[in-house]
Amino acid sequence: MYIKEVELKNFKSFGKSIRVPLKNDFVTVTGPNGSGKSNIVDALLFALCLSSSRAMRAERLPDLIYRGDNGKNPDFAQVIVRLDNTSRHFPLDQDTIEVSRKIKINRDKYASSYSFNGKSCGQAELLDLLAKAGITPESYNIVMQGDVTRIIEMTAVERRKIIDEIAGVAEFDEKKKKALEE
Ligand code: ATP
Ligand code: MG
C-alpha cells in the first residue's frame, strides 16, 4: 500500500488547493528553506490523525489554516489523502481509498471533521479503519526527525513495545486491558 496523492486546501503555507502526486517508489521533496516541504508531511500527519498539533509545529489546530498577509484568511483547512489499495490492505474491494480531514473555524470555536471514502465519520471510527491497514499514531508509518536517535537510546523494554506495535500485538493488549476494566 502506498500514498498516491495528497491534496491540500488552505493547509499551512498552501493558500490554495494543491495536489501532490506521489509514487510507489522512493520520493524526495526538494525546495528552498521555508518553501513548505515539511508542511506536506504535516498534512499527512493531520489527515491520518497521526500526531498532536505540536508535532505538526502548530500551537493550536487552527494555526494549521493558511494565514496570508491580505487579512482575508480562509476559515478552513482540509487535507485529502489518496491511498493505493490494489494490495487490499484495506479489506475493501476498491483500488483507491480516500481519507479526509477538515478543520473549520466558526466564530471563536473550531472543529475537525473526518471522512473515509467520502463518508463522514468520527475520529475514533477513522482511527479504527486506518488501524486495519496498520496506520496508527503509535506505529512508525512516518519516521520523524529524531525518531531514529530516540529508538537507539531506548531501553530494551521500550524497544520491545515498538516491536509489539509493529507486530500488531499491542492493539489487542490495549483492547484486552479496556475490556477487563469494564
Ligand atoms: P526547511 O528546508 O527549512 O526545513 P521547509 O521547506 O520544510 O523548510 P516548512 O517548515 O514546510 O518549510 O514551511 C515553513 C513555512 O510555512 C514558514 O514560512 C511558515 O511561515 C509557513 N507557515 C506555517 N504555518 C502557516 C500558516 N498557517 N499560514 C501561512 N504560512 C504558514
Ligand atoms: Mg523542513
Side-chain angles (χ1 to χ4, degrees):
M1 192 177 63
Y2 66 96
I3 299 168
K4 281 213 283 207
E5 186 177 78
V6 50
E7 184 172 350
L8 294 81
K9 294 181 180 173
N10 303 329
F11 188 86
K12 293 192 97 180
S13 54
F14 300 97
K16 46 189 174 194
S17 176
I18 65 141
R19 286 168 157 218
V20 185
L22 299 164
K23 285 186 175 161
N24 185 18
D25 207 341
F26 185 75
V27 177
T28 62
V29 179
T30 60
N33 293 131
S35 59
K37 303 181 295 291
S38 300
N39 289 345
I40 296 172
V41 177
D42 291 340
L44 293 173
L45 293 171
F46 172 72
L48 301 173
C49 306
L50 294 176
S51 87
S52 62
S53 52
R54 182 139 314 170
M56 292 182 274
R57 302 168 303 147
E59 240 352 92
R60 302 161 60 244
L61 280 178
D63 296 337
L64 297 173
I65 301 173
Y66 173 75
R67 272 189 312 264
D69 22 285
N70 67 357
K72 270 188 86 186
N73 293 323
D75 63 353
F76 82 95
Q78 185 180 14
V79 177
I80 303 155
V81 179
R82 298 191 177 91
L83 300 150
D84 182 279
N85 191 44
T86 43
S87 61
R88 297 292 182 266
H89 272 81
F90 282 103
L92 286 169
D93 197 24
Q94 263 171 311
D95 289 346
T96 306
I97 300 287
E98 209 175 87
V99 177
S100 150
R101 179 174 178 185
K102 186 174 181 175
I103 172 168
K104 194 171 184 341
I105 297 181
N106 193 352
R107 291 199 201 112
D108 50 353
K109 289 197 177 111
Y110 65 90
S112 275
S113 53
Y114 309 82
S115 81
F116 185 85
N117 259 348
K119 256 199 183 154
S120 77
C121 59
Q123 193 188 58
E125 195 185 341
L126 180 64
L127 284 170
D128 264 2
L129 288 162
L130 292 173
K132 283 197 170 63
I135 303 169
T136 74
E138 294 80 25
S139 49
Y140 284 86
N141 302 114
I142 295 181
V143 180
M144 299 295 287
Q145 210 172 338
D147 277 351
V148 175
T149 321
R150 215 161 41 78
I151 292 169
I152 292 167
E153 289 169 353
M154 270 177 187
T155 63
V157 174
E158 283 172 317
R159 232 183 337 259
R160 167 66 201 254
K161 276 191 192 157
I162 291 180
I163 295 168
D164 281 356
E165 283 302 341
I166 295 166
V169 179
E171 185 199 337
F172 295 104
D173 280 346
E174 189 59 35
K175 285 195 171 152
K176 185 179 162 190
K177 195 174 144 228
K178 268 198 194 138
L180 288 171
E181 278 166 8
E182 273 166 18

